[in-house]
Amino acid sequence: MKLADNKATLSFSNGSPSIDLPVYQGNIGPDVIDIRKLYAQTGMFTYDPGFLSTASCQSAITYIDGDKGELLYRGYPIEQLATGADYLDTCYLLLNGDLPNATQQKDFHKLVTNHTMVNEQMQFFLRGFRRDSHPMAILTGLVGAMSAFYHDSTDINNPEHRNIAAIRLIAKMPTLVAMAYKYKIGQPYIYPKNDLSYAGNFLRMMFATPCEEYKVNPVLERALDRIFILHADHEQNASTSTVRLCASSGTNPFAAIAAGVACLWGPAHGGANEACLNMLEDIQAQGGVAKVGEFMEKVKDKNSGVKLMGFGHRVYKNYDPRAKLMQETCNEVLAELGLENDPLFKLAKELEKIALEDDYFVQRKLYPNVDFYSGIVQRAIGIPVNLFTGIFALARTVGWIAQLNEMISDPEYKIGRPRQLFTGSVKRDVKPVGQR
């Protein structure tokens, strides 16, 4: 961190002496006021529900400028990575800081590919779940269970262990997600195939059967790879903060990533594209395109309780840069599969048109976000709605690992311990039961 020349001065109206607080500068983005000694100096905490104005760490991985609609992985714009690199290149970048050269690319791709199989006992672990279990419930259990199978990579303070765990998690997550899907529909598991790409291999494990040879569609392969890239990391969001907080206790990497999976399950986070498709299906059931105008009017009415899912973003106050890329991919996939006239997709296009033209949505910058388009693409590919969040978890795993590694390597890191403003009862005495 770079110490700024200026300081922040905190003064009090009750006559308490003012204090100076150091200011640190980032390479880009807002400066931060260092309040680590605030409690020692004043006996007070800061109050910031949701951590809207609090930097919990220093990080060199991902940068977001919500006002400009900018997303950088290690300094590279997401638009360039999505068109000039593949997902495993992006994984290498997030883990190591730079894009791989030709030799590094070949070695890293081979390393991940050679670790895609999972222990055979994992399939017996699956049998303990009901067939109608939500895939995220299964995935949370499977990822956490990996620590029971891979004892040689559970010391989070050992860099070698973390590197081994990173490769295992990146390599095996597609296999676990596909197994959860196959278990749910009662089909046999499909083993990974080393001559396919990361995305191509996942498609085959999802949709192939032993009855016939499966041929990977290159358009769908590219679309899925792009979904993975666009979801690989997103700064200090809820699930990433969960992984960091969990790992700060010294737990093993698999347990920390399982915590991230559990957090991602929420509809306000990783479940957003699932919620978006559910919204589209509800509108379709009520009359489809003919009811879009009526639905949008309800959205504008604050008292209606109707929410527009897949539009707007907590961070981006401009167009989500990932959404533009996903919009292009969406059109390519629908054209490839001949689904331009599918009722649900026509409905989605009508929603998109209104949101981009209606002053109410334009003024509030409620643009379609990445969840809106990625949900449509995944449904077109054939991925069931309740597996969307599992795909998100698969893609985000590398970001979680990169953030975990960064935190553990930071000499300033400590176990997370948020403070509180206590509003409960003051100290009181326990009285005999007859006097209560």
Side-chain angles (χ1 to χ4, degrees), residues 265-342:
W265 191 354
H269 191 10
N273 51 14
E274 181 177 345
C276 177
L277 257 290
N278 289 334
M279 174 194 72
L280 290 175
E281 289 176 349
D282 287 343
I283 300 172
Q284 184 64 28
Q286 294 166 18
V289 173
K291 295 293 183 178
V292 168
E294 183 180 321
F295 174 81
M296 293 301 245
E297 288 304 315
K298 290 180 181 178
V299 170
K300 295 177 187 180
D301 181 2
K302 293 181 179 179
N303 298 319
S304 71
V306 175
K307 293 184 178 180
L308 181 62
M309 308 302 296
F311 291 77
H313 196 277
R314 167 84 172 269
V315 174
Y316 297 108
K317 304 310 175 188
N318 202 319
Y319 205 88
D320 182 342
R322 302 169 301 168
K324 179 65 176 175
L325 295 160
M326 210 65 245
Q327 182 190 48
E328 296 171 1
T329 297
C330 183
N331 291 331
E332 289 171 6
V333 169
L334 295 184
E336 171 68 17
L337 299 176
L339 292 172
E340 299 97 328
N341 294 318
D342 180 277

Side-chain angles (χ1 to χ4, degrees), residues 2-9 20-25 31-32:
K2 180 183 177 183
L3 188 64
D5 295 332
N6 60 305
K7 295 180 179 179
T9 300
D20 289 334
L21 298 168
V23 175
Y24 288 96
Q25 296 175 326
D31 295 344
V32 299

Side-chain angles (χ1 to χ4, degrees), residues 118-376:
V118 299
N119 192 294
E120 277 291 280
Q121 285 183 264
M122 293 292 270
Q123 64 174 288
F124 301 112
F125 189 88
L126 263 167
R127 292 179 187 177
F129 291 97
R130 288 170 53 112
R131 294 277 182 182
D132 60 355
S133 300
H134 194 288
M136 288 299 282
I138 296 174
L139 201 57
T140 303
L142 291 179
V143 174
M146 287 178 71
S147 59
F149 291 94
Y150 303 107
H151 302 289
D152 60 341
S153 55
T154 55
D155 183 356
I156 203 167
N157 294 307
N158 185 323
E160 181 68 17
H161 281 214
R162 294 200 307 273
N163 288 337
I164 294 170
I167 297 302
R168 283 175 170 160
L169 281 159
I170 293 167
K172 299 178 193 303
M173 279 295 280
T175 310
L176 295 179
V177 173
M179 286 175 70
Y181 171 65
K182 288 293 195 183
Y183 178 75
K184 185 176 181 65
I185 63 175
Q187 287 187 2
Y189 308 124
I190 301 297
Y191 289 102
K193 199 173 182 184
N194 288 356
D195 60 350
L196 294 176
S197 72
Y198 190 85
N201 192 33
F202 178 65
L203 284 169
R204 180 178 175 274
M205 288 191 292
M206 282 284 291
F207 301 118
T209 66
C211 309
E212 56 190 12
E213 193 61 35
Y214 179 85
K215 186 175 181 181
V216 176
N217 183 316
V219 174
L220 306 189
E221 183 180 19
R222 284 195 303 272
L224 200 56
D225 191 75
R226 179 169 285 189
I227 287 175
F228 293 162
I229 292 172
L230 298 183
H231 289 86
D233 196 54
H234 210 240
E235 211 212 62
Q236 306 307 316
N237 52 77
S239 59
T240 298
S241 299
T242 298
V243 170
R244 278 181 172 262
L245 190 62
C246 186
S248 75
S249 73
T251 190
N252 69 78
F254 303 108
I257 301 305
V261 174
C263 180
L264 192 70
W265 191 354
H269 191 10
N273 51 14
E274 181 177 345
C276 177
L277 257 290
N278 289 334
M279 174 194 72
L280 290 175
E281 289 176 349
D282 287 343
I283 300 172
Q284 184 64 28
Q286 294 166 18
V289 173
K291 295 293 183 178
V292 168
E294 183 180 321
F295 174 81
M296 293 301 245
E297 288 304 315
K298 290 180 181 178
V299 170
K300 295 177 187 180
D301 181 2
K302 293 181 179 179
N303 298 319
S304 71
V306 175
K307 293 184 178 180
L308 181 62
M309 308 302 296
F311 291 77
H313 196 277
R314 167 84 172 269
V315 174
Y316 297 108
K317 304 310 175 188
N318 202 319
Y319 205 88
D320 182 342
R322 302 169 301 168
K324 179 65 176 175
L325 295 160
M326 210 65 245
Q327 182 190 48
E328 296 171 1
T329 297
C330 183
N331 291 331
E332 289 171 6
V333 169
L334 295 184
E336 171 68 17
L337 299 176
L339 292 172
E340 299 97 328
N341 294 318
D342 180 277
L344 204 66
F345 298 135
K346 289 180 73 173
L347 172 60
K349 288 293 184 183
E350 186 62 25
L351 271 180
E352 175 191 35
K353 182 175 183 293
I354 293 174
L356 293 176
E357 295 177 358
D358 190 299
D359 285 343
Y360 177 90
F361 299 102
V362 173
Q363 289 173 8
R364 289 164 176 76
K365 297 183 178 179
L366 294 175
Y367 303 113
N369 59 36
V370 68
D371 298 312
F372 179 75
Y373 294 112
S374 67
I376 296 170

Side-chain angles (χ1 to χ4, degrees), residues 424-431:
S425 297
V426 296
K427 184 178 179 181
R428 50 184 174 170
D429 296 322
V430 177
K431 296 179 180 180

